[in-house]
Amino acid sequence: NHGVWGSCGCNGGYPSAGLVSWPGDPSIGTPAWNESDPAIAGTSQPPAADQPGLPASIQTNDDRFLTTVFENGLLWTVGNDACIPSGDTAIRPCPRLIQLSTAGASVSQNFDLGSAGRDLYYPAIHMDSTGNMFLVYNISSSSDDVGVRITGQTAGPPPQVIGTPQPIQPAPRLATCFHRWGAH
């Protein structure tokens, strides 16, 4: 069994992902608690997301991890972050993706997914039994209504290489109720 959690600012001088394992057999009284805290690049509070005619109108909340999945010795976690995407000059909301190897508790991948001129937020992650990773997230901008995109990473490519995002749900209209869009 493995788990991961974010520090929520408790270790501001040492950003890390807490990884816990419980090896042993509880039925015979041999469970053990093992914890390690591999270092990750720090995350930041993401700005609110834009939509046409309504700048900064969608709350992105904070930079906690939102979804975690474990399969075949790999653990992925994802949350909102703030980044400056390549080719952009503005700080935007971006998903932070972190992959850990549970053998040796090491960080394999740690990066932001950004898109120049667009806000990406409220990501969710999944992995299949062969190690392929799937990522869905919301997207919007000052010229794009809110929509949902999907992308992923096949098992075994160079680190931090993501497939071309595909739209799976365009927004039918502006998001004006509750200033939220997404499942989190």
Side-chain angles (χ1 to χ4, degrees):
N1 295 322
H2 293 85
V4 68
W5 66 89
S7 65
C8 301
C10 298
N11 60 354
Y14 177 64
S16 63
L19 183 65
V20 173
S21 64
W22 298 275
D25 185 344
S27 68
I28 59 172
T30 61
W33 174 277
N34 293 321
E35 179 182 343
S36 57
D37 300 301
I40 61 170
T43 59
S44 299
Q45 171 81 26
D50 296 334
Q51 57 183 323
L54 297 169
S57 60
I58 301 174
Q59 295 174 1
T60 58
N61 289 356
D62 56 37
D63 58 340
R64 288 178 283 180
F65 298 146
L66 299 172
T67 308
T68 300
V69 62
F70 171 74
E71 187 73 45
N72 296 326
L74 293 177
L75 190 143
W76 278 98
T77 191
V78 66
N80 288 328
D81 193 15
C83 76
I84 300 175
S86 178
D88 206 332
T89 57
I91 297 173
R92 302 196 178 278
C94 301
R96 168 62 65 90
L97 292 97
I98 299 171
Q99 182 192 54
L100 296 121
S101 169
T102 58
S106 60
V107 176
S108 306
Q109 300 185 63
N110 182 4
F111 64 100
D112 286 317
L113 178 63
S115 181
R118 293 191 170 99
D119 301 325
L120 315 179
Y121 46 97
Y122 291 125
I125 199 161
H126 184 71
M127 192 169 31
D128 67 17
S129 62
T130 63
N132 297 313
M133 181 270 292
F134 304 93
L135 175 73
V136 296
Y137 57 88
N138 295 312
I139 183 170
S140 65
S141 73
S142 60
S143 59
D144 297 308
D145 289 335
V146 179
V148 180
R149 297 252 172 113
I150 187 168
T151 187
Q153 183 183 83
T154 56
Q160 302 179 177
V161 175
I162 296 292
T164 303
Q166 301 296 315
I168 58 173
Q169 178 63 51
R173 61 189 174 281
L174 294 177
T176 57
C177 296
F178 309 111
H179 308 287
R180 287 284 303 266
W181 182 270
H184 298 284

